[in-house]
């Protein structure tokens, strides 16, 4: 009988790590060799280098290796932004499409899974429903929603397993996105200015080169602002934004 293949998409985020672990535990408990599970990660060089440490520790926790996938067409997100002269807009970020979605689609075509696991948390049931509606070809499994686990629960699970959270969370970011994510708003970019000044300066120069901006100011009229003219105090009272990239793309900068 053909084996039933399942892909767990691991993004180095806390939620996808715990979702993967839950699925692997269920499959192991069944002792049913009809199931074949791949843990796959779309890696991007713009991520924090601590993600390699986190992925290595999760590999031990999972008891299974992680397949690292990379774009065959682009070196990193800078390459995407520079070649397309585009950062982010109402339809989302081109880097998500090229560095994550296209890579995921290629793996799906090769692997032909019967189901796929994504780390939607209990707060994201609506987002999961939207994903199902927009991707009817994907048999989506959401172990975190089934177990009622929130993002905070995922943090606790990882800490309980003795795995230190990825550096971006420890620095105070809500998501383990790339360093200098184009989905970020003013508060996020002012934090990047402090934590990763070289990335801030490089993005500020790129905005001017291609004549595009990431951030908008205020709520009325939403004027755009270049990073090199962004008030360093702007957005400092914002809560950390939830702009998880994962393998999905959900709009641009708020
Ligand atoms: S995390 Fe941000 S910068 Fe990285 S691929 Fe996703 S949208 Fe692009």
């Amino acid at each position: 009988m053909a084996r039933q293949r399942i892909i767990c998409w691991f993004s180095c985020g806390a939620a996808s790590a715990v979702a993967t672990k839950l699925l692997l535990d269920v499959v192991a408990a069944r002792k049913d060799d009809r199931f074949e599970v791949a843990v796959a990660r779309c890696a991007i060089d713009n991520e924090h280098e601590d993600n390699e440490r986190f992925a290595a520790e999760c590999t031990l926790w999972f008891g299974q290796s992680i397949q690292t996938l990379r774009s065959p067409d682009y070196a990193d997100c800078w390459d995407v932004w520079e070649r397309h002269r585009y950062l982010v807009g109402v339809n989302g970020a081109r880097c998500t499409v090229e560095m994550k979605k296209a890579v995921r689609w290629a793996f799906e075509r090769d692997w032909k899974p019967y189901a796929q696991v994504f780390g939607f948390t209990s707060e994201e049931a609506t987002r999961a429903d939207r994903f199902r509606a927009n991707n009817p070809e994907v048999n989506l499994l959401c172990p975190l929603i089934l177990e009622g686990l929130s993002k905070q629960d995922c943090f606790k699970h990882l800490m309980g397993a003795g795995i230190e959270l990825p550096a971006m969370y420890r620095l105070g970011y809500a998501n383990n996105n790339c360093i200098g994510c184009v989905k970020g708003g003013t508060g996020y970019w002012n934090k990047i200015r402090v934590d990763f000044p070289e990335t801030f300066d490089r993005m500020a120069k790129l905005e001017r080169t291609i004549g595009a901006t990431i951030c908008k100011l205020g709520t009325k009229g939403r004027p755009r602002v270049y990073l090199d003219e962004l008030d360093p105090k702007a957005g400092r009272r914002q809560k950390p934004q939830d702009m998880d990239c994962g393998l999905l793309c959900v709009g641009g900068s708020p």
Side-chain angles (χ1 to χ4, degrees):
M1 183 191 288
R3 298 182 81 188
Q4 296 203 310
R5 290 176 145 184
I6 302 171
I7 304 174
C8 295
W9 289 107
F10 172 77
S11 67
C12 282
S16 69
V18 176
T20 297
K21 176 65 173 161
L22 289 179
L23 187 283
L24 289 171
D25 284 353
V26 168
V27 170
R30 283 188 169 209
K31 295 187 170 51
D32 185 339
D33 63 10
R34 279 176 309 163
F35 294 104
E36 181 180 7
V37 181
V39 181
R41 169 190 175 200
C42 300
I44 307 179
D45 285 349
N46 301 62
E47 295 170 6
H48 195 292
E49 62 188 14
D50 181 58
N51 281 3
E52 300 313 313
R53 185 273 314 162
F54 182 69
E57 291 188 23
C58 285
T59 299
L60 295 177
W61 189 43
F62 298 156
Q64 174 160 340
S65 61
I66 298 169
Q67 295 192 45
T68 302
L69 314 175
R70 288 182 180 276
S71 167
D73 302 315
Y74 297 91
D76 56 20
C77 292
W78 295 106
D79 193 16
V80 177
W81 300 323
E82 286 162 6
R83 278 206 247 166
H84 292 277
R85 300 180 67 83
Y86 182 84
L87 297 173
V88 65
V90 288
N91 292 321
R94 181 78 185 240
C95 44
T96 310
V97 175
E98 302 296 350
M99 303 304 291
K100 295 193 173 177
K101 286 185 174 178
V103 178
R104 170 167 71 85
W105 292 330
F107 191 71
E108 286 172 0
R109 279 195 298 276
D110 276 357
W111 232 62
K112 300 183 176 51
Y114 112 92
Q116 302 187 54
V117 173
F118 286 89
F120 289 109
T121 58
S122 59
E123 311 85 323
E124 297 176 320
T126 305
R127 208 174 149 208
D129 289 342
R130 200 163 59 230
F131 179 86
R132 279 196 181 90
N134 292 336
N135 301 273
E137 75 287 357
V138 175
N139 178 14
L140 173 66
L141 303 181
C142 300
L144 300 177
I145 294 176
L146 279 177
E147 296 293 325
L149 295 179
S150 66
K151 193 166 188 170
Q152 284 302 319
D153 293 327
C154 293
F155 291 153
K156 286 182 199 155
H157 265 262
L158 286 168
M159 290 188 283
I163 299 175
E164 189 169 48
L165 295 179
M168 293 301 275
Y169 295 122
R170 287 184 275 124
L171 283 167
Y173 295 89
N175 304 100
N176 189 13
N177 286 9
C178 297
I179 298 172
C181 176
V182 291
K183 291 183 196 166
T186 53
Y188 169 85
W189 274 99
N190 270 328
K191 185 164 171 53
I192 290 288
R193 185 202 304 261
V194 173
D195 297 337
F196 302 98
E198 287 178 10
T199 301
F200 183 92
D201 290 345
R202 183 171 176 182
M203 184 59 85
K205 288 191 181 82
L206 180 61
E207 282 191 336
R208 289 291 179 183
T209 301
I210 65 179
T213 62
I214 295 170
C215 296
K216 296 169 183 169
L217 287 177
T219 51
K220 284 189 183 166
R222 314 268 298 176
R224 292 197 163 269
V225 60
Y226 282 96
L227 288 176
D228 62 14
E229 59 192 13
L230 178 65
D231 177 354
K233 295 196 183 77
R236 283 181 58 183
R237 292 195 191 156
Q238 287 173 7
K239 283 198 231 162
Q241 293 169 247
D242 197 342
M243 49 180 205
D244 191 16
C245 181
L247 289 158
L248 318 163
C249 191
V250 287
S253 102

